[in-house]
Amino acid sequence: LPPQLGGCTYEKGGEPYEKVINGEKTLDGTRGSWDLPLQPHSGGVEPDWDWCGDESAAKREAVERLSFNYKNIAAFAARGAGKKGFPPYSAALSDPNATPNDSVKGSVDACLRAISLAMINDNDDDNESNNADELMKEIAAMIKKDGGSGLVDDVVASL
């Protein structure tokens, strides 16, 4: 993210690292740094999260947090398709004065629920993974059918 407090400048020689962090290129320039499979430690730029321990526990915790606070999370995400606040901020998605697009909250919530299902299933069982994939496809089809491409674009902007 660009600096939010102003008056900051880029450090000389930092451009290759910025490109890695932004997903543009690996340090060796062979591919995008966010292309799967990811390189361990972003090719040496950032430490991975190995210290966290159990990946499944982290997924369960993320789903629990989404489930507990789903209304606020969907509303926060819906700011991606909402109106900019005043005064404007240089990082639009961190704008504390932005207002959410209320028409996408339900669709965003449904998508987050399908994502949560996929995370809980942990992709160990192909059948369960396919269920989450099918659910997401059904949700996408309903969003397109009921709201058209404008609603689809707004939901995507919110996710």
Side-chain angles (χ1 to χ4, degrees):
L1 290 173
Q4 301 297 307
L5 42 114
C8 298
T9 60
Y10 288 94
E11 188 172 308
K12 191 174 187 177
E15 185 178 351
Y17 301 100
E18 179 183 359
K19 287 185 177 193
V20 171
I21 292 168
N22 290 336
E24 295 173 34
K25 288 186 178 181
T26 55
L27 277 181
D28 63 13
T30 57
R31 62 190 188 118
S33 58
W34 292 355
D35 292 350
L36 297 177
L38 297 175
Q39 289 183 332
H41 309 289
S42 292
V45 174
E46 297 181 291
D48 280 340
W49 293 80
D50 296 337
W51 58 270
C52 291
D54 182 15
E55 187 175 329
S56 294
K59 289 179 183 180
R60 288 190 304 275
E61 182 180 356
V63 169
E64 187 276 331
R65 296 285 80 207
L66 273 170
S67 300
F68 176 77
N69 201 19
Y70 71 95
K71 287 181 185 176
N72 291 329
I73 292 170
F76 182 84
R79 296 176 337 144
K83 294 182 181 173
K84 294 180 181 180
F86 187 81
Y89 284 75
S90 62
L93 295 180
S94 67
D95 181 353
N97 301 319
T99 56
N101 180 339
D102 290 334
S103 69
V104 301
K105 285 182 187 177
S107 299
V108 168
D109 180 51
C111 291
L112 291 174
R113 289 172 190 250
I115 292 166
S116 294
L117 178 64
M119 289 171 59
I120 286 240
N121 287 337
D122 206 23
N123 294 329
D124 288 339
D125 181 350
D126 285 337
N127 190 35
E128 291 297 323
S129 177
N130 288 338
N131 288 343
D133 290 346
E134 288 303 314
L135 177 60
M136 185 58 88
K137 288 177 185 174
E138 289 174 22
I139 291 168
M142 284 190 294
I143 292 170
K144 186 172 184 177
K145 179 182 172 221
D146 294 345
S149 62
L151 181 59
V152 170
D153 291 343
D154 286 346
V155 170
V156 168
S158 298
L159 294 172

